[in-house]
Amino acid sequence: MARKSRSTTSASRAAAKAAPRKTAKTKPAAKTVAKTVAKASAKTAAKTASKPGRAAAPSARKALVSKGRPAPAPRRPKQKVAISHHREEDFKADGLRAYAHYRDLGIAAATHGLARAHVIRMLPPCNPQEVSKLHTHAVDFQMVYVLKGWVKSYLEGVGETLMKEGSCWTQPPKIRHMILDYSDDVELLEVILPADFKTVEIVANNN
């Protein structure tokens, strides 16, 4: 009985000694892994800090969201009410053509340049050498309505057209056109977007 107890005690002591040894071997391994991860993180942070002008790359999701949101258009000032009554003194020779007088309706000022509207009174008689010149306008929208008389015009892709009192037509952006003839009493209402635009005269090539 005594021998049996001694052997059992010896086995228990051996097991107890072996257990701490295993734990001691495991702990250094975990510490080594933690140190390696910490060093790698420190190196990455140091590289990013050494390049101050370079921000971290955004995620793919953020890039897609930013591409799908266009920059907002600049806001125009608040529009005003424009009222214009007929007065002969309002017809002035301050428009695009020297052979016409213009009555500005105040739309350009009221809309801060968004659109222009005026009544055009052609000066008689029509001189084709001065009037009939092919040209284009860099506009977004242009509409002409005949208030009085008649006007004969040429539009690219349409040809010659006689516009009478009550006639209305539009001129797409940069379409080639010109006036061929008009009556002595012709008056036109013209609406243009934007208020200020570029006009280009087409010079014929005789070569």
Side-chain angles (χ1 to χ4, degrees):
M1 292 291 292
R3 288 179 183 176
K4 212 168 189 181
S5 299
R6 286 177 184 175
S7 62
T8 303
T9 304
S10 300
S12 299
R13 288 176 180 176
K17 288 180 181 180
R21 286 176 185 176
K22 287 180 181 179
T23 306
K25 287 181 181 179
T26 305
K27 283 183 179 180
K31 287 181 179 180
T32 303
V33 173
K35 286 181 179 179
T36 304
V37 172
K39 286 181 180 179
S41 300
K43 286 181 179 180
T44 304
K47 287 181 179 179
T48 305
S50 63
K51 298 178 179 179
R54 188 177 179 183
S59 64
R61 185 178 179 182
K62 287 182 178 179
L64 289 174
V65 171
S66 63
K67 286 181 179 179
R69 293 178 181 176
R75 291 184 178 180
R76 287 183 175 272
K78 187 177 180 180
Q79 296 184 21
K80 302 175 183 178
V81 175
I83 299 174
S84 177
H85 299 288
H86 179 271
R87 298 190 313 169
E88 283 297 317
E89 58 266 32
D90 288 336
F91 284 90
K92 300 177 182 179
D94 58 356
L96 181 64
R97 303 300 179 190
Y99 53 83
H101 286 175
Y102 298 80
R103 175 190 158 204
D104 186 77
L105 301 180
I107 306 300
T111 62
H112 303 280
L114 176 64
R116 182 180 299 278
H118 48 212
V119 177
I120 306 173
R121 182 179 285 173
M122 302 292 190
L123 301 180
C126 177
N127 180 4
Q129 291 183 351
E130 182 183 8
V131 174
S132 303
K133 296 179 180 179
L134 196 64
H135 61 281
T136 64
H137 301 304
V139 297
D140 295 327
F141 174 80
Q142 184 176 14
M143 182 208 80
V144 186
Y145 180 89
V146 183
L147 298 171
K148 291 181 182 180
W150 55 267
V151 59
K152 184 184 291 185
S153 65
Y154 165 80
L155 295 170
E156 184 179 25
V158 178
E160 295 183 12
T161 306
L162 180 63
M163 305 292 185
K164 302 178 181 179
E165 183 175 330
S167 298
C168 179
W169 74 95
T170 60
Q171 295 180 173
K174 295 185 178 181
I175 186 174
R176 296 186 178 194
H177 65 283
M178 64 177 168
I179 294 175
L180 300 174
D181 196 5
Y182 56 79
S183 64
D184 292 348
D185 61 341
V186 67
E187 285 189 11
L188 309 171
L189 171 65
E190 185 176 48
V191 179
I192 308 171
L193 280 76
D196 298 317
F197 55 90
K198 184 179 180 181
T199 297
V200 178
E201 193 170 295
I202 310 299
V203 180
N205 188 359
N206 297 324
N207 294 334

